[in-house]
Amino acid sequence: MKGKLNSIYVRFVLLFVGILFASAILALGLVTAFQLDDLKEIVKEQLEDRITAVTSLAAEKDISLQEAIQYISSPDIKIQVFQNREELLKAGQYSPLENELNKLEQGRSVTIELDSRPPLPVTAAIIDGQYVIVHPDIDNNQIVRFQRTAQTVLFTAIVLGSLLILLAVSMVVKPIKALSKASVEVAKGNFEIHIPEKGKDEISDLVKNFNVMVKELKANEYLHKEFVSSVSHEFKTPLSSIHGFGKLLKKKDLSLKEREEYTDIVIEESERLSNLSANLLRLSKLEHQAIQYKQNTFDLDEQIRRVILLLQNQWEKKDLHLVINLDKAIFTGDEELLQQVWLNLLINAIKFTPNQGTIEIALHSKDDHISFTIADTGIGISESDQKRIFERFYKADKSRTKTGTGLGLSIVKKIVDIHGGKVTVESELGKGSVFYVELPVGKMVQD
């Protein structure tokens, strides 16, 4: 029973029926208070008219009091005659007249209300020495009929209102029940749930938002599975190499050249694992704001020059030609994070540009933003790959999957986003790539 009472459907119904019942009782009280007094006045006038009529008829010498009463009587108004005061007072329902007997004996008619339910008026007079009482029929009079009619109308309204409330609440609760069932399915991992959207009310908005949430959860679940799969794959390859060549190094008949070659591979794969772990940690911190962003004002052009010098050994090793055009640019942001942007972009350009190729680096400062461009004459990126190049673990160069982690450009995009900027790419297979970074001159975005 407790479970049923906790049902929102039952609670809604009980609440509305309770409100309806209370409203009906209040309405009955108001109607009775304002209308019953007017009705009593009408009945009193009728009773007084009857007592006057009886008095007039009885005054005629050829008509007796009993004949006058029979002539005046009707189904809804009763007339009683008492021979004396004692007989009148013996009729207990007329005891309130005891205080009015002096007025009666002075020849006046008296109208009072009896102690009955409902209180009914009664008119009394002394005619031909007898006490004549005129009153409405107890079970059939205007006042009783009025109360019965009001009660019937209100009871009918309660019954019909309750039925309509049951129907209305069931219509309101139906989508809520559907949402509840769908939520259970989503909790179980079923993201194929879709609830039809009907109407334009708050419930419809709730259903619409639920469907959007499920859609987003489905996308996140896909990304999560893809992320786990990518991480597993990225860790599996270097670990397999380390394990395999580590076993080979245990052989006693290896030549010095083979031993050095296998050792270099183990070192290279270990470094790759280290870089992968570091990049994963860095990206995770960036996405969850686990690091405190530092804002300071610095020379952006000088920072880029330091990055170029830092990688000098790599681009000189490939005999690359660098064309550098850096305007003076003062920027306010996280200096350490932005250095990762220029490092990752330049490392990629060096990696995918063939020997004796060209890399052009440019920085231009304008009133409201700073633009950075790095162009290479490398292998280029296909149009389909350009759409996904900034996703985690995505590698456009499938032939070189062993040379990177697929996280560098994801880190670049996240850092640029943090600074309220944007990064884009233009490329053509076999003709090289151009990466554009645009940073607004203003505060960082830390949402």
Side-chain angles (χ1 to χ4, degrees):
M1 181 66 182
K2 186 176 179 181
K4 290 184 178 180
L5 288 177
N6 286 334
S7 166
I8 190 172
Y9 179 79
V10 174
R11 287 158 63 188
F12 265 135
V13 171
L14 291 177
L15 175 63
F16 284 125
V17 170
I19 293 174
L20 183 62
F21 187 77
S23 301
I25 297 298
L26 181 61
L28 179 61
L30 291 174
V31 169
T32 301
F34 288 103
Q35 298 295 324
L36 195 57
D37 288 343
D38 293 340
L39 190 57
K40 284 181 181 179
E41 290 300 321
I42 293 174
V43 173
K44 286 178 181 179
E45 290 178 3
Q46 291 177 348
L47 297 179
E48 291 170 355
D49 289 343
R50 293 296 175 92
I51 203 76
T52 301
V54 171
T55 302
S56 299
L57 288 173
E60 297 182 13
K61 296 186 177 183
D62 56 344
I63 297 178
S64 67
L65 179 59
Q66 293 299 326
E67 289 176 329
I69 289 173
Q70 290 177 0
Y71 184 77
I72 295 299
S73 295
S74 63
D76 59 339
I77 293 183
K78 303 299 181 181
I79 301 176
Q80 288 182 280
V81 178
F82 297 93
Q83 298 300 318
N84 51 53
R85 174 192 288 216
E86 289 75 14
E87 187 177 341
L88 172 64
L89 295 178
K90 276 185 180 180
Q93 70 268 32
Y94 299 125
S95 58
L97 283 169
E98 185 175 1
N99 298 326
E100 307 293 335
L101 290 178
N102 291 332
K103 293 181 181 179
L104 289 176
E105 291 168 353
Q106 291 173 7
R108 297 162 58 185
S109 63
V110 175
T111 302
I112 64 170
E113 284 189 5
L114 299 179
D115 296 330
S116 59
R117 288 288 178 270
L120 296 176
V122 61
T123 299
I126 297 177
I127 304 174
D128 291 342
Q130 301 179 68
Y131 290 82
V132 179
I133 307 297
V134 182
H135 62 82
D137 183 75
I138 299 298
D139 298 319
N140 182 23
N141 61 75
Q142 293 183 54
I143 297 173
V144 171
R145 286 197 298 269
F146 167 76
Q147 287 192 324
R148 287 174 180 171
T149 300
Q151 291 170 356
T152 301
V153 170
L154 292 174
F155 177 76
T156 304
I158 290 174
V159 173
L160 292 178
S162 299
L163 293 175
L164 291 174
I165 285 171
L166 285 172
L167 178 61
V169 171
S170 65
M171 294 174 65
V172 172
V173 172
K174 185 177 179 180
I176 297 178
K177 287 183 175 180
L179 276 171
S180 178
K181 291 180 180 179
S183 299
V184 173
E185 290 298 316
V186 171
K188 293 178 181 178
N190 180 9
F191 300 115
E192 301 299 327
I193 295 292
H194 180 81
I195 303 176
E197 300 170 15
K198 299 178 181 178
K200 295 182 179 179
D201 54 13
E202 289 81 358
I203 297 294
S204 177
D205 291 340
L206 180 61
V207 170
K208 182 179 179 180
N209 292 333
F210 177 85
N211 288 332
V212 171
M213 179 194 72
V214 173
K215 186 177 179 181
E216 291 296 326
L217 286 174
K218 182 179 179 181
N220 288 338
E221 177 70 8
Y222 172 78
L223 291 175
H224 173 73
K225 289 180 178 178
E226 187 178 38
F227 175 76
V228 171
S229 175
S230 299
V231 170
S232 300
H233 175 75
E234 292 295 332
F235 274 91
K236 182 179 179 181
T237 303
L239 284 173
S240 297
S241 297
I242 292 171
H243 180 263
F245 286 102
K247 291 178 69 176
L248 289 175
L249 285 171
K250 292 183 69 175
K251 291 184 178 182
K252 296 180 180 180
D253 56 347
L254 285 178
S255 65
L256 181 60
K257 182 179 179 181
E258 288 176 325
R259 190 175 298 277
E260 289 180 351
E261 181 181 349
Y262 296 164
T263 302
D264 287 341
I265 292 174
V266 170
I267 293 172
E268 182 181 334
E269 292 301 289
S270 299
E271 289 177 350
R272 182 181 169 197
L273 271 178
S274 178
N275 290 334
L276 178 60
S277 300
N279 283 335
L280 273 174
L281 180 60
R282 184 179 292 112
L283 186 58
S284 178
K285 287 182 177 180
L286 288 172
E287 289 181 342
H288 296 91
Q289 293 191 1
I291 58 177
Q292 294 294 322
Y293 305 134
K294 303 173 184 176
Q295 290 198 65
N296 59 294
T297 302
F298 58 96
D299 293 327
L300 197 59
D301 54 303
E302 287 300 323
Q303 183 186 55
I304 294 171
R305 286 189 181 93
R306 288 195 300 269
V307 169
I308 295 171
L309 290 174
L310 188 65
L311 299 175
Q312 182 175 357
N313 185 55
Q314 295 185 29
W315 51 265
E316 283 186 345
K317 188 176 180 180
K318 298 183 72 172
D319 194 22
L320 299 179
H321 177 58
L322 267 62
V323 179
I324 303 171
N325 181 16
L326 303 178
D327 291 348
K328 184 69 175 177
I330 305 297
F331 186 74
T332 299
D334 193 309
E335 188 173 1
E336 184 178 344
L337 287 181
L338 281 171
Q339 181 166 305
Q340 290 294 321
V341 173
W342 322 129
L343 274 171
N344 285 336
L345 291 176
L346 187 53
I347 287 172
N348 275 355
I350 294 171
K351 183 189 301 182
F352 296 112
T353 301
N355 293 344
Q356 298 180 347
T358 301
I359 297 176
E360 296 183 16
I361 303 172
L363 180 69
H364 299 291
S365 180
K366 299 184 179 179
D367 292 336
D368 58 346
H369 71 277
I370 296 172
S371 61
F372 171 83
T373 306
I374 181 166
D376 62 61
T377 56
I379 60 176
I381 306 169
S382 68
E383 187 175 347
S384 59
D385 286 334
Q386 290 177 40
K387 297 176 182 179
R388 303 187 59 189
I389 197 70
F390 295 104
E391 295 179 12
R392 289 178 298 184
F393 294 110
Y394 189 80
K395 299 177 183 178
D397 182 23
K398 303 299 189 295
S399 65
R400 296 190 177 186
T401 54
K402 292 185 179 181
T403 62
T405 64
L407 293 173
L409 291 178
S410 298
I411 293 173
V412 167
K413 186 178 187 308
K414 185 60 183 177
I415 294 173
V416 173
D417 288 344
I418 289 170
H419 286 81
K422 60 181 179 179
V423 55
T424 55
V425 61
E426 291 180 3
S427 185
E428 188 176 346
L429 285 175
K431 294 186 178 181
S433 304
V434 184
F435 283 85
Y436 300 94
V437 176
E438 186 175 296
L439 298 172
V441 178
K443 294 183 179 181
M444 295 167 57
V445 178
Q446 300 189 33
D447 296 336

